[in-house]
Amino acid sequence: MSQYEQVEAVLRDEFAGIHPASTVTRCIQAAHHGAVEVTGHAYPGLVERIARRHLQVLATATDS
C-alpha cells in the first residue's frame, strides 16, 4: 500500500496525540478495503476521506 504513505503521514500528523500510529494504519486499511468493496477502486483521496471519518468517529467515541 505504498501509494497511501502520504495519506498515512497526513493522518498521523492530524491525529497525533489522539490516536496511535497503529490505529491510523488500521483505519487506512479498513478504508481501502471498504472503498474497493463498494466502488471497485481505492483512490488515495477517497481512502483518506473514509479513514479520516473513521478516526473522527473513534475520537468522539473515546471522549464519551
Side-chain angles (χ1 to χ4, degrees), residues 8 18 26 40 54 56 59:
E8 191 162 350
I18 300 170
R26 282 195 311 274
H54 288 177
Q56 289 168 340

Side-chain angles (χ1 to χ4, degrees), residues 1-14 21 24-25 27-29 32 42-45 47-48 51-52 55:
M1 268 206 285
S2 62
Q3 66 181 346
Y4 303 106
E5 287 177 5
Q6 184 177 2
V7 170
E8 191 162 350
V10 166
L11 292 176
R12 281 184 178 180
D13 287 347
E14 186 175 331
V24 174
T25 300
C27 284
I28 291 171
Q29 291 169 343
H32 176 267
Y43 299 114
V47 170
E48 181 177 351
R52 180 176 284 112
L55 291 162

